[in-house]
Amino acid sequence: MTIGIICYPTYGGSGVVATELGKCLALRGHRVHFITHAQPVRLSLLTDRVHFHEVVVQDYPLFDYPSYELALSSKVVEVVEREGLELLHVHYAIPHAYAAYMAQKMLEEKGLYIPFVTTLHGTDITAVGRQPSYNPAVAFSIDQSDAVTAVSESLRTETYAHFDVCKDIRVIYNFVGLDDTAVNPSCCKRRALADEQQRIITHMSNFRPVKRIRDVIDVFYGIQREISAVLLLMGEGPERISAEERVGELGLGERVKFLGNCLEVDAVLRHSDLFLLPSEKESFGLAALEAMALKTPVVSSDAGGLGEVNQHGFSGFLSPVGAVERMVQHGISILRDDVILERFKNQARQVAGRFGRDAIVPQYEALYAEVLRDL
Ligand code: GMT
């Protein structure tokens, strides 16, 4: 199959899922064309089966707001015709599904029909897409898609609750690689991250308010009063400065390290003993799944789809959003004893096993085949 993938190419979870999916599809024999405004960050290797087409958004003095959708839909038309794409898979409803619909209409005028599958990831539904200025366009794009998926049951339910849509939405969970968890000797060493007797606690996100970074630091503060530990923060975003301020207020100093957009995420997660994700909203929580796959238990909020990923009392613990003290106690209960910690690590990995790429990617392939068959 020749598939076009449209996504945000940055560090966000939707871009990561879209890129990993494209790479897996190529390994399974498909030809994949990424149509994005920059080369996706997780796409290091272009091959004869993996291609990248850049969407260039032209500025013009009259445009107060240069139109990404216009440039994207035009690029899609060009790539579909030139490369013979059979199907588009768009990640994030706005504006990708909207642009795909426009491309579909333009191609229909030329006697071509290109179906598009839309995957809803989260804030396109639970935050930005719900705003009155976008809601009708999001609902329209969902209903016009040839097929729609959501990354959790929770997101599927929220979509029906907030949008007037009649499309059947199928849940296809996010996935993760389950390759060997052994530490690669060339990657960063544990001793570079913490002293031998310290536990390593980690958080990774785009530092947006929805991630509640202050709770991450406050939970760490509570834990490290009982257990010697360091906190490693991976990612960048608007809350970074206030996070640094909070670290200063609590006198945590050297015990908290900001690693920025770290290139060694897997190595850091492999060395970690606990992952914190106290988010306000989280349709799935890919970062938690990535941690679990590398044997790191998770203390998280119970927001959105997190309860579908993190199994309470087994792969970690869930608490209501903002329940900092409860999260502290959960963290301590996992970290205080080597035997208990080892048990949680193994259980986290066991739960992650349900979301392996070999189980999930064929579900997308089956959906693509169904869409093409029903044309
Ligand atoms: O919130 C993020 O980290 C970025 C955001 C995105 O759109 O890229 O992530 C959303 O999609 C991810 C992949 O499906 C999910 O794992 C995240 O839970 C979801 N974020 C939210 O719902 C806040």
Side-chain angles (χ1 to χ4, degrees), residues 8 10-18 91-92 119-124 126-127 150-152 155 172-174 204-208 210-211 277 279-289 304-306 309 364:
Y8 285 113
T10 52
Y11 292 91
S14 62
V16 170
V17 170
H91 294 259
Y92 221 81
T119 290
L120 309 173
H121 280 276
T123 42
D124 46 353
T126 57
V151 297
S152 63
L155 184 59
I172 300 185
Y173 284 119
N174 286 332
M204 174 169 70
S205 74
N206 48 21
F207 282 56
R208 281 185 295 150
V210 78
K211 302 293 174 180
L277 197 61
S279 311
E280 180 92 40
K281 293 175 191 287
E282 204 67 73
S283 68
F284 181 88
L286 183 66
L289 177 61
L306 276 171
V309 180
Y364 280 115

Side-chain angles (χ1 to χ4, degrees), residues 117-120 141-143 145-150 167-171 367:
V117 173
T118 300
T119 290
L120 309 173
S141 311
I142 288 173
D143 272 341
S145 302
D146 292 83
V148 179
T149 74
K167 195 82 191 170
D168 178 38
I169 300 173
R170 194 173 298 189
V171 173
L367 180 63

Side-chain angles (χ1 to χ4, degrees), residues 299-317:
V299 163
S300 70
S301 67
D302 59 4
L306 276 171
E308 295 170 60
V309 180
N310 184 17
Q311 205 179 310
H312 186 70
F314 195 74
S315 58
F317 288 100

